[in-house]
Amino acid sequence: MRLKFMRRPLAAILATLFVASGGLARLRKTPEPEKELTVSAAISLKDALGEIAKLYRIEMPDTVIHFNLGASGTLQRQIEQGAPVDIFISASKDQMDSLDSRGLLLAGTRRDLVKNAVVLIVPKQRAGFPVFRILRGRK
């Protein structure tokens, strides 16, 4: 009889603890949901981005990176048509300018990461070749 008398308060306490703890799911440790990052980038950056992704995974192991690689113009059109993209890395300033002018870039987030220049390297014995003088602005 005494056992029946204690069941009700014990059940009430357990029910209170159960509700306060958020239910059974809180009794087990649930892993954090993975975060996803979609990067659309020029195909020419494939190798470099692969290396960057390895380093990023060390720092942010709960983040999954999805790469969408292609020609910058194709990627631009995908973004214009509503493709979900977190980061866009273009090989051309033109595509960035176009997306920016249409208001498709998040304000204040555009960064020029790298610049490139055409470099002409010739053997010393060929330095007098006329085409090279023309390229340097001399005739």
Side-chain angles (χ1 to χ4, degrees), residues 124-135:
K124 197 172 194 175
Q125 63 272 21
R126 302 278 314 246
F129 193 65
V131 172
F132 302 132
R133 285 196 304 269
I134 292 168
L135 290 173

Side-chain angles (χ1 to χ4, degrees), residues 5 13 16 18 50 64 67 71 73 76-77 86 88 98 100 106 108 111 115 131-132 136:
F5 182 76
I13 291 170
T16 303
F18 178 74
V64 176
F67 286 107
Q76 173 195 352
R77 286 187 293 282
D86 297 304
F88 176 50
S98 178
D100 201 10
L106 188 60
R111 303 284 184 274
K115 294 182 182 196
V131 172
F132 302 132
R136 288 189 304 202

Side-chain angles (χ1 to χ4, degrees), residues 76 79-80 88 93-112:
Q76 173 195 352
I79 293 168
E80 290 169 344
F88 176 50
K93 185 178 176 293
D94 294 342
Q95 277 77 33
M96 295 298 285
D97 290 343
S98 178
L99 292 171
D100 201 10
S101 70
R102 293 173 177 227
L104 294 173
L105 301 182
L106 188 60
T109 62
R110 182 175 175 174
R111 303 284 184 274
D112 290 335

